[in-house]
Amino acid sequence: MRCRGESMGRSRVSNTFRPHFRPEGHFDRTAAHKPILVLEKVMKVFRADAPVLRGVDLTIERGEFVFVTGPSGAGKSTLLKLIYKAETVDEGRILFCGRDIARLTEDSIPHLRRNIGVVFQDFRLVPYWTVFENVAVALQVMGLSPRVIRSRVALALERVGLDGRGEEKVAVLSGGEQQRVTIARAIVPEPAVVLADEPTGNLDPVLALDILGLFEEINEGGTTVLFATHDRTLLEVSPRRLVVIDDGRCIEARAGLVGLGGVLDHGISIN
Amino acid sequence: MFERALKGLRQQLGTQMMSVATVALALFCMAAALLVLENAGAMVRRWGAPVKVTVFLAEGASLEQVDSLRRALAGLPEVEEARYVSAAEARLSLSAGGDQAVANAPVELFPATIELRLVPSAVSAARVASVALRVRRIPMVSEVETYRGFTERLRSLLAGGRAAAGVIALGVLLCVFAVVSNTVRMSLAARLREIEVLRLVGATRSYIRGPFLIEGAMLGGVGALVAVLLLGVVYLTVRGQFEVSLGTLLGLHPVFLPWSVVASLVMGGCILGALGSAAALRRGLHS
Ligand SMILES: Nc1ncnc2c1ncn2[C@@H]1O[C@H](COP(=O)(O)OP(=O)(O)OP(=O)(O)O)[C@@H](O)[C@H]1O
Ligand SMILES: [Mg+2]
C-alpha cells in the first residue's frame, strides 16, 4: 500500500487527501468532499452506571481547528481514543472521510492510524531512541526508503524548531523539546488529522503558547487539528471553534468562551 | 526487520547471552545423548549382526565324519568359512595367555568344534536360528552356539538408550521452548513503550511481531549451533585420548553426528525458538 505523503508535498494536503487505510487499495473518490470526521450519536460506556459519552454528535470539516474541552473525566481523551481506534464505540458511528471506522478490519487499523497523528500530554517517546529515530518511526512503519525518511524527518524537525537536533537522545531533552519531537512524529507522515490530548498539560504557560502556535501553523498547512485542553488561557488567546464535552454530550461554544457559563466555571481547572 | 531484531538483541545483550547459554546447555545434553546413541547403534550394527556360529561336536566323532560335516557346512550359502578346531587346538588357544592350569588340563575337557564364519550382513538372525536348529539335529553335534543372547542384550540396551534419549529430548525441547519464551517476554516487557509507539503510528501486526520472532529463532538457532560446536570439541578431545584403546577393544571407529542430524538440530532450534517467541507474543501483546 502506498502512503499519501509519498507522492505529495505538504502544501497540497487539504485538497488531494485520499483515505488510504483500506488494504485493498481502492479509495472513495467522493471522500474529498465529505467532512473529515463525523460523530453520530457516539456512546461509550466503561461502567454501566456511568456512561462516559452518551450520544455525541460532532461534525468536523477538513482543515478545521477545533478545541475540545470539558471537566476532568468528561471523556475528552476517550473521544480522541475512539477516533484513532484505541477504543471502540459502543453505539453510534464515527465516519472518517465518510467511512465508518467501526467496520475497519484489524488489518486496516494501522492504515487508519497513518492518517491520524496523535500527540499526548505525556509525550510517549522512546527515551533511548534519538530524536531522529523517534520521528522516523512513523515513516519506517510505512516502508519508505531511508533517503525519503531522512529528508522528510529533517523537514518535520525544522517545522517544530528542532533542526539539527536529530542525533540527540530524547531522554536528555527538556519537556518543551520532547513535546516538539512528538509533534514532529505526528506530522511527519502528513496526516489528514492531528489529535492532541492536552499537549501543553506538562508545560509552563509560555511554552504552552509556543506549542499552541505550532499547532496553528500545522493547521494553516491544511491539516485538521483536534486540540483537547483544560487550559483556559489557550482557549482565550485563540478564537477557534470550541466544543465542550459535558455530561456525556457535546456542546458547541462557537463564540469563544461567551455563553459557556457554568461549565467552565465549575469544571475546568485553570492551569 | 532483521536490523530491528539485532538492535533489540543488542539492547539486552546480557540476558540474551544467558539464554543462549541455557539453550546451548540443554541442547548439548540432547546432542550428546544422540551422539552416544549414534555410536552405540554403529556398535550394534557391527556386533549385533550374526557373524559367528560355533558347532560343538559330540565326543567320539571320527575325523572323516567331522570333515564331511565341515564340508557340508561350508557349502551352505550363509557360511563363508568353516574351520575345524580340535580339542588340542582349543586347549592351546585358551592357554595362550600363559595359563599353566589350562595348559595342563586333560585334553578331553576341551570340546572339538567347527567354527563357522557367516557371510557378513547377508544373514538375518532368524535364518541363522533355523540353520542352527537343523545342524543341531545331526547326531554328532552336541550343541550349537549362535551368540544370540549377546546380540539381543545389545539390542535391548540400545532400545533402552533410545527411550531414555527420547525422554531427554522431550525435556530439552520443553526447556528450550520455555527459556526462549521467557527471554522474549522479558524483551517485550523492556520494549513496551516502543511497541506502544509503533502501534500509535500505524505499524502492522507483523511489523511489530517480526523482530521478536527473529529474536526467538536466533536464540534457538545460535544455542543449537553453540551446543553442536561444544559437542564437537568434547568429541574430538575424547576421541584423541581413547581412539587407540577403544578402537582395538571394540573394533570400531567412533563417529560424530551426521551432517543431517547437525543441520536438523540447528533448524529445530530456530523453529522451536520462533515458536517460543510466538507463545510469548500471544500472551504479551494483548493489552
Ligand atoms: N479504559 C477505561 N476503563 C474504564 N474506565 C475508563 C477507561 N478509560 C477512561 N475511563 C473513564 O472514563 C472517564 C473519562 O475519562 P477520560 O480520560 O476520557 O477523561 P478526560 O476528559 O480526558 O479527563 P482529563 O481531563 O482528566 O484528562 C473517566 O471517568 C475514566 O475513569
Ligand atoms: Mg484526558
Side-chain angles (χ1 to χ4, degrees):
Chain A
M1 156 158 298
R2 261 182 47 225
C3 109
R4 209 166 54 75
E6 238 175 322
S7 57
M8 194 186 300
R10 65 185 149 125
S11 53
R12 288 181 289 147
V13 167
S14 55
N15 39 6
T16 50
F17 168 68
R18 293 163 179 178
H20 267 252
F21 50 85
R22 293 178 92 190
E24 316 89 73
H26 40 80
F27 56 87
D28 180 359
R29 282 180 198 288
T30 60
H33 310 296
K34 291 180 179 163
I36 194 145
L37 263 175
V38 178
L39 282 75
E40 293 177 357
K41 302 190 176 54
V42 170
M43 299 262 283
K44 184 66 192 176
V45 183
F46 291 113
R47 285 196 332 251
D49 54 326
V52 180
L53 300 179
R54 307 191 276 183
V56 168
D57 287 300
L58 184 64
T59 301
I60 293 169
E61 297 293 340
R62 206 169 294 274
E64 264 192 296
F65 188 113
V66 182
F67 281 119
V68 179
T69 190
S72 181
K76 301 182 292 294
S77 302
T78 304
L79 185 78
L80 299 188
K81 281 182 192 157
L82 291 174
I83 293 171
Y84 68 90
K85 222 166 181 246
E87 298 279 359
T88 48
V89 293
D90 292 327
E91 259 175 62
R93 299 199 300 168
I94 296 180
L95 307 177
F96 183 75
C97 301
R99 188 176 308 288
D100 184 357
I101 65 165
R103 286 164 57 192
L104 291 179
T105 61
E106 197 67 32
D107 293 338
S108 356
I109 292 173
H111 300 281
L112 169 73
R113 301 219 175 126
R114 292 173 195 180
N115 284 297
I116 298 177
V118 191
V119 177
F120 298 95
Q121 176 174 6
D122 59 354
F123 315 143
R124 312 226 180 150
L125 296 168
V126 182
Y128 45 85
W129 282 358
T130 63
V131 170
F132 175 85
E133 287 170 324
N134 268 288
V135 177
V137 66
L139 300 178
Q140 281 160 351
V141 298
M142 303 194 294
L144 299 192
S145 78
R147 199 174 47 80
V148 172
I149 291 175
R150 262 198 307 280
S151 66
R152 285 181 59 176
V153 169
L155 208 68
L157 288 178
E158 197 185 309
R159 282 176 79 184
V160 300
L162 284 177
D163 37 335
R165 311 276 304 266
E167 293 315 308
E168 290 174 43
K169 280 270 186 300
V170 150
V172 303
L173 298 184
S174 75
E177 287 164 342
Q178 292 194 23
Q179 195 57 295
R180 286 167 190 276
V181 177
T182 51
I183 293 169
R185 181 181 71 197
I187 62 172
V188 75
E190 300 187 354
V193 181
V194 171
L195 308 178
D197 191 356
E198 299 186 39
T200 58
N202 278 346
L203 307 175
D204 72 52
V206 178
L207 267 179
L209 286 175
D210 273 3
I211 295 292
L212 174 65
L214 207 47
F215 278 103
E216 289 183 322
E217 268 173 41
I218 290 165
N219 176 244
E220 273 152 32
T223 309
T224 310
V225 175
L226 235 73
F227 194 110
T229 186
H230 273 145
D231 190 341
R232 199 170 182 168
T233 325
L234 297 184
L235 303 180
E236 277 164 357
V237 299
S238 182
R240 303 286 184 164
R241 179 177 172 196
L242 176 59
V243 169
V244 181
I245 301 181
D246 192 40
D247 201 23
R249 297 210 167 72
C250 265
I251 306 163
E252 285 287 341
R254 281 183 190 279
L257 301 179
V258 182
L260 265 174
V263 176
L264 280 182
D265 290 338
H266 321 133
I268 299 179
S269 61
I270 293 172
N271 299 17
Chain B
M1 181 127 321
F2 210 70
E3 267 169 47
R4 289 195 298 131
L6 283 178
K7 203 167 144 189
L9 280 170
R10 267 206 306 276
Q11 215 172 306
Q12 272 111 12
L13 203 58
T15 319
Q16 309 286 9
M17 298 275 263
M18 280 299 291
S19 92
V20 165
T22 316
V23 168
L25 204 66
L27 286 174
F28 175 81
C29 292
M30 186 168 107
L34 284 178
L35 182 60
V36 168
L37 268 187
E38 183 73 26
N39 282 289
M43 209 163 81
V44 168
R45 272 196 299 283
R46 167 79 174 71
W47 291 98
V51 287
K52 190 177 145 188
V53 173
T54 304
V55 178
F56 292 91
L57 300 171
E59 277 173 56
S62 75
L63 269 180
E64 293 99 78
Q65 280 176 315
V66 169
D67 196 51
S68 66
L69 175 62
R70 187 190 64 78
R71 258 181 281 146
L73 289 173
L76 291 172
E78 295 90 348
V79 176
E80 195 172 64
E81 188 195 10
R83 193 168 60 87
Y84 172 62
V85 181
S86 71
E89 279 167 341
R91 182 173 69 178
L92 196 68
S93 76
L94 281 173
S95 63
D99 190 335
Q100 278 305 309
V102 173
N104 293 336
V107 80
E108 295 77 39
L109 285 181
F110 297 90
T113 60
I114 297 176
E115 301 281 352
L116 304 182
R117 192 148 58 79
L118 302 181
V119 182
S121 75
V123 208
S124 73
R127 257 171 81 193
V128 171
S130 85
V131 168
L133 211 65
R134 271 185 285 137
V135 174
R136 179 74 186 79
R137 289 207 202 94
I138 300 169
M140 75 181 101
V141 172
S142 71
E143 192 57 76
V144 177
E145 177 59 84
T146 56
Y147 304 96
R148 252 184 82 195
F150 172 70
T151 309
E152 238 133 62
R153 233 179 1 261
L154 262 184
R155 280 182 195 284
S156 71
L157 216 66
L158 190 66
R162 287 220 173 93
V167 171
I168 291 175
L170 201 69
V172 163
L173 296 187
L174 280 175
C175 164
V176 169
F177 182 86
V179 166
V180 172
S181 180
N182 272 318
T183 310
V184 172
R185 261 229 298 284
M186 280 164 73
S187 42
L188 262 176
R191 281 145 74 189
L192 277 184
R193 176 44 68 87
E194 205 174 311
I195 292 166
E196 187 193 0
V197 166
L198 284 174
R199 280 188 168 147
L200 196 68
V201 298
T204 56
R205 215 170 105 86
S206 53
Y207 188 90
I208 295 171
R209 291 161 46 104
F212 292 101
L213 290 177
I214 292 175
E215 177 181 322
M218 294 225 296
L219 291 178
V222 171
L225 211 62
V226 171
V228 170
L229 288 177
L230 205 65
L231 189 66
V233 170
V234 170
Y235 167 79
L236 288 179
T237 317
V238 169
R239 194 182 66 167
Q241 286 182 2
F242 288 99
E243 189 174 28
V244 182
S245 52
L246 213 69
T248 47
L249 201 68
L250 302 177
L252 189 70
H253 289 291
V255 288
F256 194 61
L257 296 172
W259 285 115
S260 59
V261 172
V262 169
S264 34
L265 264 174
V266 174
M267 279 298 289
C270 285
I271 292 170
L272 202 62
L275 286 177
S277 174
L281 287 168
R282 179 173 307 180
R283 282 220 218 143
L285 277 190
H286 278 284
S287 51

